[in-house]
Structure formats: C-alpha cells, structure tokens
Amino acid sequence: MTELASFFSHDGALASVIKGFQPRAGQLEMAKAIEAAITDRQHLLAEAGTGTGKTFAYLVPAILSGQKVIVSTGTKNLQDQLFNKDLPVLRKAVQTPFMAALLKGRSNYLCTYRLKNALTSNLGFSKEDAADLSKINAWAKRTQTGDIADIADVPETSQVWYLATSTVENCLGQDCPDYADCFLVKARKKAQEAEVLVVNHHLLCADWSIRDSGFGELLPNAEVVVIDEAHQLADTASNFLGINIGAKQLNDLAQDALIEYFKDATDIPALRAAAEELEHEIKDLRLAFGMELKRGEWQELESNPKIMAGLQAVKTQLQALAVQLELASVKTKGLETCFKRADELVQQLKTILDDNSGKWIRWYEVHRKTFTLSRTPLDIAGEFRLFMQHHKATWIFTSATLSVANKFDHFANNLGLTQARSQSWGSPFDYANKSLFYHPKGLPQPNDPNFIPLIIGFVLPVLQASKGRAFFLFTSHRALQQAENLLKDKLPYPLLVQGSRPKIQLLEQFKKVGNAVLLGTSSFWEGVDVRGEALSCVIIDKLPFSSPGDPVLKARLDAMTKQGKNPFFEHQIPAAVIALRQGIGRLIRDENDKGVLMVCDPRLLKRSYGQLFLDSVPPMRRTRDIADVQAFFAE
C-alpha cells in the first residue's frame, strides 16, 4: 500500500484523528493525481464534486511532498477555516512536523501608529466611531496577531478601521516609529519561514499586480501553488491588473493630509485649504453622477459635460493638494508619504482619463455615497501565462465547478492554461435517491415583464410542501425585491432577505429558525454551507447569464466578436453553466441531506443550449409534476 493509500484508508492517519472518517475513492484518486502532478512538475486542473473532501485531497500530498506550498482560497472566511481547523487536524495526522502561516492583505492588520494618530487627532468623530476607536484601542493592548477578524465587537465594515490599519500608500515602512512591533511585518516574516502558507486570491493577485519578477514582495517563492475555489480567480485577477480610483481613496488622502497638517504643518494654511477643497470637489462630483446606483460605460461619462467638468475639477484640485504636500514633505515622514500618495493618484487619474489604446476597458460605478473609476484589461490570459512561466512552481487549480459538460476549455482559456492536465471526480453523494429536480410545465418566458409574479404561483406550492426550509436565489436585486413584496404576506414561514442584515447573521438565523425562506442574489449562490434539514429546497429564478449591459463584459464580448468568435457560446453560456452549478451546489452538503431543486427558466428545454445546462446538473431524478415534489417531502 502506498503512503497516500495508507493515509486515507479506514485505519490510516486521517481515521485516527477524524471521528467517523470514511474513505472516499474520489478523495484518494484526487490526492494521487496531485501527488503525480507535483512529482512531474505538471500543472493540474482538478474538479472535485461536493463531498469529495478536496481540501485534504490537496493538502496531504502537498505537505508530504516536503516542498514549499502556497494555498490560495476564494475568501478570507475559507482562509481562516483552512488555517484554524483543517491544518491543525493534519498536524496531528502527519508524522513529519511542518510550519504553517496565515497571511492576509495589510488592511486586515492593526496599525498601531495610525491608531495613535487617530486617537490624538483634531478631527471630530461621531459617537459610534469614537466608541469603536476606544474598543480597538483596548484590543490593541492585548492582541497577539493584530488580525482585525479577532475583535468581535467592531465589525470589519466599520469605517474607523481605515484609521487603524494601513495601505500600501500610507505605510511609513521602516521609517515608522512602531516598525519593530508591526503586526504586518511579523505576519510576513512568518510567511517567509513557513512551509505551508495560506493566502487568499485577493492577496495573491495584489502581489502579482506589483510583480517585477515572479511573486511580488509579499509572497515567498513557492514550489507548489494550490488555487482553491479556482473558478473565482480570473475575475479577481482582472480587478487587480487594472487601475481603480474612487471617492474613498481621494477622501482618505484628504483626511490623512489634514491629520498630518494639524500635527506638523499648521504654518502652511494652503495645505489645509487644498485638502478641504478636494473634499468639496469630490462631493460635487458624486452629486453630478446622480441618484441611480449603476455600472456604466466610459462613453456615458464623455457625453455628460457636467460629470466631465467635475472630473477635471477633482483632477485640478488633486494636483493642487500634491503641490502643497510636496512643499510640506520635508517636515515629516507622514507628510512625505501623503505627497507620494497624491502624486500617484494624480498619475492614475490621468491614466484613466487619457487612455485610448484599445487594450483596456474604462468604466465607472456609482455607489450610495461614493463612485469609482476603473481601467480593466481586455484579456488577462496572456498576463497570467507570463506570470506562471516566470514563476516555476507546480500549479494546482481546484474547485467543484471548473468544467462545462465535462470540458475544461472555458476555465483554461480564461487563464491562458495551454499545458495542464485536467481530471474530474464526481460527488460521492446519492443524488438519485436523496434529491429531486423539479421543472414545471407552463413557465413564463424570462423576458416577460410579469415573470416574477408569474413564477411565484409555481413556487408557493413547493414552499408549502417543503415547509419553508428554502433558498430562493435570484439573478438580480430587482427580481429579489419584487419577490419579497409578493411573498411577505403569503408565507407562514420566516422570510429572510439579503441586505436586511449582514450575511453571517442571516445564515445563523436561517439555521436556527429551521423553517425559513431566504431570498438571495449572487453572494448566496456560492461559498454558503448549510447542512441538515434547515435547507431542503433550492429554487433558482433564471439561468444565471451575466448582464450583457455590464461594461466590462460588453467590451470583452465585442472583442471576441471582432476576433471571429461566438461570444454567446464561447463565454456567456459556459460562465452561466458554472454559476448555475454553484447555485445547485447549495442543496446537498452532506451525505444525510435531502432536497428539491427547482429551476424556473423554460429555456432549459426550449432552447438548444439548454442541454448544456442539463448535462451539468447532478444525476437527480427529474419531474415536471408538483405531486412528485409533495410526495418527496411527505416521505
């Protein structure tokens, strides 16, 4: 018996540390494929259905290889789970000791220097912000890691965290008086020494985006890189390879400049005036964008004289602030850092405003209080291929959803992966007996203006049969709001709605209540794990095609058309199939789970491409009769 086979056997190392461990053929096969890929230095696309146990399937061969390993997860929550739960279990099972470290982006670590600055500044704080700063100050005296996820009574969304954490732009580096005790520096030192380093896609891509050679300055040289939830990587990478500049960055600069002014530069009143005038121009520009919250194409801005005038005014005032900061920069390191930030923002704003190369997509987004201007690459495949070639590690890409109808072309093409093995292992769960796929007759067309009111008539009998206990997933916020208004007086079950409170709180309440109906959009389609009877039904309103009006998608589809490709079949359908598979994946999370999947989109059977979607659904029993759904839940 090989070392891996022994490790995953019924009386092996894992069984000795995991109560109730059951060997799974797919888990062992996946572990062997990863072991072979590492030995052969060959990249691997490894798709593993829900319940395969993919985390241990990649961690065990990676650790046993004795090589330096980076594992990148899709979210910080998954990162924490892997480091705090999975690795400690393996540490007990693996005989050879190994060092592991957790590394997040710098905004996740307390900056004691900036916290002191905030506490002693002349800027006024609201009662809530002052209370949060006081809690952070008390926690700062006892924390060992400085990881802001460790303080429970100040939410990560609190705006005061900006004053107690650093950014690349405002960090003083080795000139900081608190450098010797810097939590970020300590975390990076541990990362350099670790044999297994756990990061997330945002940090990996941020590091890639500042690279000059291989990994940037943050990540150590690794011999094996494992990308978990790899289906998210292309979108994350696309954001980091471009430029994003917005009202928040500009306001943060103005605020930091004022803090430094009151501390060390009150003899330069023009500096205070320039910072305050920049804040004023940013507010005026936000008003010029109007009330509608949206993402739009750059051409819309260019045809709006009021917005273009506002952009020029912000640029002029930003340049004026940079001039004053340059004069003051000789006084202190803090003022010098503010000047460098202002100068960098001036260059970035010019780059976005003046770009006409055709290699980039320019677009904007309007939020409730702010706005962002972005420049995103048309294509990241070439960039990522160069990155991998430069950094000679073995790359393992894994997720439950990498393929479309058993082909990996869509994922591989997005990242320029031309020389990688690919393999897939299905879920070990008994879908045939534990689930039912319901697709009723007579569904309205998705473009019908009354689509949501009409499908509610099909959905209500299902929710009655399931006694609540359902996720109702939507492809748009507008559809969700429509459904909320229609359902709130018709359901005898608790109705939980995305946006009404933080996601974690909603999920906890959903599990606790046991018979709720949760309405959610994109953030509930993936990365959500509800086991047991509380979630016994997943209802999906439409096939999850991305909005063709999205400026980034539209530009990429136009570019594909110019290249003679068919963007609908080569991009939109594969992306929608993967998104649908993620949504369906919420239903069966455990071998004891049972449930009904309902998809309300008639295109599944009415359009030729519907078969691609059907081929990607787990092997469930299928029905078009509500009586079968009622019988399933009555069992």
Side-chain angles (χ1 to χ4, degrees):
M1 187 182 289
T2 65
E3 186 177 13
L4 275 184
S6 172
F7 206 93
F8 287 99
S9 66
H10 66 91
D11 58 355
L14 274 184
S16 70
V17 295
I18 300 176
K19 190 176 179 181
F21 174 79
Q22 292 292 327
R24 284 169 267 188
Q27 186 177 46
L28 176 57
E29 288 172 16
M30 181 177 170
K32 286 179 176 177
I34 290 170
E35 180 184 55
I38 293 171
T39 301
D40 300 342
R41 300 185 66 80
Q42 177 72 49
H43 308 317
L44 175 68
L45 314 183
E47 181 178 70
T50 309
T52 305
K54 66 180 169 67
T55 305
F56 285 166
Y58 66 68
L59 281 177
V60 171
I63 290 168
L64 292 179
S65 74
Q67 299 188 28
K68 199 152 189 172
V69 180
I70 286 179
V71 180
S72 181
T73 66
T75 63
K76 286 186 289 187
N77 285 342
L78 285 172
Q79 190 184 1
D80 286 333
Q81 178 182 312
L82 199 145
F83 185 76
N84 295 317
K85 293 183 180 178
D86 299 327
L87 281 174
V89 168
L90 280 184
R91 186 167 273 112
K92 294 176 188 173
V94 176
Q95 290 182 349
T96 308
F98 62 89
M99 281 183 62
L102 179 72
L103 185 63
K104 300 179 181 178
R106 68 164 65 239
S107 63
N108 293 279
Y109 296 97
L110 174 71
C111 174
T112 53
Y113 172 78
R114 285 180 57 77
L115 175 62
K116 288 173 198 168
N117 257 6
L119 291 169
T120 56
S121 78
N122 289 18
L123 297 178
F125 297 110
S126 67
K127 190 176 177 182
E128 293 82 2
D129 287 353
D132 280 350
L133 273 174
S134 178
K135 290 174 186 172
I136 293 170
N137 191 37
W139 168 73
K141 294 177 172 64
R142 62 179 187 272
T143 180
Q144 297 295 307
T145 65
D147 186 339
I148 70 173
D150 294 343
I151 175 170
D153 47 357
V154 180
E156 287 188 41
T157 51
S158 172
Q159 60 188 25
V160 300
W161 275 120
Y162 172 72
L163 298 169
T165 57
S166 71
T167 65
V168 173
E169 294 81 14
N170 63 32
C171 175
L172 301 184
Q174 294 186 16
D175 294 313
C176 178
D178 291 1
Y179 185 79
D181 298 313
C182 176
F183 290 113
L184 177 64
V185 171
K186 289 177 182 176
R188 285 184 178 173
K189 188 171 185 296
K190 284 184 180 177
Q192 295 287 342
E193 296 167 351
E195 291 146 305
V196 180
L197 174 61
V198 183
V199 300
N200 58 60
H201 297 351
H202 283 85
L203 179 59
L204 184 79
C205 294
D207 198 55
W208 168 22
S209 69
I210 60 168
R211 77 227 172 280
D212 285 317
S213 57
F215 282 120
E217 58 191 41
L218 306 185
L219 300 172
N221 288 325
E223 295 160 284
V224 179
V225 180
V226 181
I227 308 293
D228 200 348
E229 299 301 319
H231 64 280
Q232 300 174 1
L233 183 63
D235 283 343
T236 306
S238 180
N239 290 335
F240 276 91
L241 286 174
I243 296 173
N244 298 287
I245 184 169
K248 185 178 186 312
Q249 287 159 283
L250 297 167
N251 274 321
D252 287 347
L253 170 66
Q255 191 174 49
D256 284 347
L258 286 171
I259 288 174
E260 298 296 336
Y261 162 79
F262 283 119
K263 201 168 66 163
D264 294 306
T266 49
D267 58 333
I268 309 178
L271 172 55
R272 177 180 180 178
E276 290 175 345
E277 187 59 33
L278 177 60
E279 289 179 319
H280 176 73
E281 295 292 359
I282 294 164
K283 282 180 185 172
D284 283 353
L285 178 53
R286 172 61 191 86
L287 289 172
F289 275 103
M291 296 302 292
E292 187 183 358
L293 309 183
K294 62 177 291 193
R295 283 162 65 111
E297 295 181 75
W298 195 260
Q299 290 90 317
E300 294 173 28
L301 301 189
E302 292 180 323
S303 62
N304 187 318
K306 192 174 179 183
I307 291 177
M308 292 310 290
L311 281 168
Q312 288 303 321
V314 166
K315 178 181 158 188
T316 300
Q317 198 53 48
L318 179 60
Q319 289 171 321
L321 176 58
V323 168
Q324 295 304 318
L325 283 168
E326 185 173 20
L327 293 173
S329 64
V330 295
K331 288 177 173 287
T332 65
K333 186 66 182 177
L335 285 161
E336 182 189 338
T337 302
C338 281
F339 163 61
K340 287 178 179 175
R341 286 167 64 191
D343 190 48
E344 177 71 16
L345 285 169
V346 168
Q347 298 310 317
Q348 288 183 342
L349 190 54
K350 281 182 179 176
T351 298
I352 292 178
L353 292 177
D354 301 340
D355 179 73
N356 287 301
S357 65
K359 294 179 180 178
W360 301 86
I361 306 160
R362 290 187 294 165
W363 52 285
Y364 71 93
E365 189 163 11
V366 183
H367 315 280
R368 198 161 59 88
K369 293 183 179 179
T370 63
F371 59 85
T372 51
L373 311 171
S374 299
R375 190 184 83 150
T376 301
L378 251 179
D379 174 35
I380 67 158
E383 286 278 333
F384 193 78
R385 187 163 51 240
L386 287 172
F387 177 47
M388 288 179 66
Q389 287 170 356
H390 201 104
H391 188 79
K392 299 297 183 183
T394 300
W395 290 71
I396 310 294
F397 301 88
T398 184
S399 166
T401 54
L402 292 181
S403 69
V404 176
N406 299 315
K407 292 184 178 178
F408 291 82
D409 300 9
H410 175 70
F411 175 80
N413 292 341
N414 276 349
L415 290 175
L417 305 175
T418 53
Q419 295 178 318
R421 296 173 184 170
S422 60
Q423 207 165 341
S424 186
W425 296 271
S427 170
F429 297 153
D430 184 7
Y431 282 97
N433 292 308
K434 295 290 185 73
S435 62
L436 183 68
F437 181 10
Y438 175 49
H439 183 60
K441 297 175 183 175
L443 288 165
Q445 290 301 314
N447 59 0
D448 188 317
N450 291 313
F451 178 77
I452 294 297
L454 289 169
I455 67 166
I456 292 296
F458 292 91
V459 167
L460 281 171
V462 175
L463 293 176
Q464 287 157 1
S466 67
K467 296 183 170 61
R469 304 185 299 160
F471 273 12
F472 194 170
L473 303 177
F474 298 87
T475 52
S476 73
H477 288 278
R478 187 177 298 167
L480 181 150
Q481 289 159 2
Q482 255 190 303
E484 179 190 4
N485 291 330
L486 292 163
L487 287 172
K488 60 187 176 185
D489 298 322
K490 293 181 180 174
L491 285 179
Y493 313 110
L495 189 65
L496 306 178
V497 183
Q498 178 181 334
S500 61
R501 66 187 68 181
K503 180 178 174 180
I504 292 173
Q505 289 181 22
L506 276 179
L507 284 171
E508 287 305 313
Q509 188 178 359
F510 182 85
K511 292 173 187 176
K512 186 177 178 182
V513 170
N515 67 339
V517 176
L518 188 147
L519 309 186
T521 58
S522 54
S523 65
F524 282 89
W525 282 66
E526 59 178 287
V528 175
D529 191 8
V530 180
R531 302 180 185 212
E533 293 185 353
L535 179 55
S536 297
C537 183
V538 169
I539 301 168
I540 291 171
D541 70 335
K542 294 180 183 179
L543 298 179
F545 287 105
S546 297
S547 167
D550 178 83
V552 177
L553 178 63
K554 185 173 184 297
R556 288 187 175 144
L557 298 183
D558 289 346
M560 290 181 76
T561 302
K562 288 174 185 174
Q563 293 164 9
K565 297 178 180 177
N566 185 322
F568 184 64
F569 280 95
E570 292 183 47
H571 184 84
Q572 288 172 281
I573 288 177
V577 168
I578 286 173
L580 180 70
R581 292 182 66 199
Q582 281 291 331
I584 293 170
R586 297 317 98 214
L587 183 62
I588 306 292
R589 306 298 301 172
D590 187 274
E591 60 188 11
N592 297 314
D593 281 358
K594 293 178 65 176
V596 167
L597 166 71
M598 178 182 185
V599 180
C600 303
D601 193 325
R603 290 175 293 184
L604 271 177
L605 297 177
K606 297 283 178 70
R607 298 292 173 89
S608 59
Y609 57 76
Q611 193 61 43
L612 272 173
F613 288 91
L614 291 172
D615 288 345
S616 298
V617 172
M620 301 173 164
R621 283 183 290 153
R622 298 179 184 180
T623 185
R624 309 201 73 190
D625 190 343
I626 186 64
D628 290 332
V629 176
Q630 292 161 339
F632 180 91
F633 283 117
E635 287 175 6

